[in-house]
Amino acid sequence: MAVSKKQKEFDWVKAFFKKGGHPQLLQTYQNSIQIALQRELEAWADEVCGPKGKPKGSLRRNGYYPRRLLTVAGWVELKVPRFRGGKAPPPPIFNPYQRHAVEMMML
């Protein structure tokens, strides 16, 4: 399996963090990205169908589905809100089937 250019860039960032002797810094950075993206998804869900317990419109929350997203710090596990009662717009962070994060958001 060929390694993509984007994967090579991510590997370089990981090597940079590990070379400096701070592997915990990479983990902290990865956790920070995960928390920020998860909060953005929750805000999006609240905007689409209202906060939990106070629905607006016909859409209702219906749990979550897992999603892996490749960022500069490595793979991040996200819980994407699921809806029922209509068609919800796609999440603002990524498009359907997208697996690589837009790095401009991280800057």
Side-chain angles (χ1 to χ4, degrees):
M1 182 160 105
V3 177
S4 69
K5 182 180 176 184
K6 193 166 273 295
Q7 182 63 45
K8 286 181 184 177
E9 291 173 14
F10 296 140
D11 290 343
W12 179 86
V13 171
K14 280 186 179 179
F16 174 77
F17 276 112
K18 288 182 180 178
K19 190 175 185 181
H22 299 288
Q24 292 144 348
L25 184 61
L26 177 64
Q27 185 64 40
T28 302
Y29 184 54
Q30 191 175 21
N31 289 343
S32 300
I33 291 172
Q34 181 178 12
I35 290 169
L37 292 176
Q38 194 64 53
R39 285 183 181 168
E40 182 67 27
L41 286 172
E42 289 298 328
W44 165 73
D46 288 346
E47 181 181 309
V48 168
C49 70
K52 291 180 183 175
K54 297 183 180 182
K56 84 177 182 190
S58 63
L59 286 177
R60 302 281 188 266
R61 286 187 182 219
N62 189 21
Y64 297 90
Y65 65 92
R67 182 68 176 274
R68 291 183 73 206
L69 192 65
L70 184 61
T71 66
V72 198
W75 288 101
V76 173
E77 296 285 336
L78 297 173
K79 295 187 316 183
V80 181
R82 188 180 290 191
F83 304 101
R84 67 177 168 176
K87 179 128 173 88
I93 298 174
F94 47 81
N95 296 323
Y97 307 107
Q98 179 183 352
R99 295 295 184 253
H100 296 94
V102 178
E103 300 308 327
M104 290 302 291
M105 288 181 52
M106 306 301 166
L107 300 177

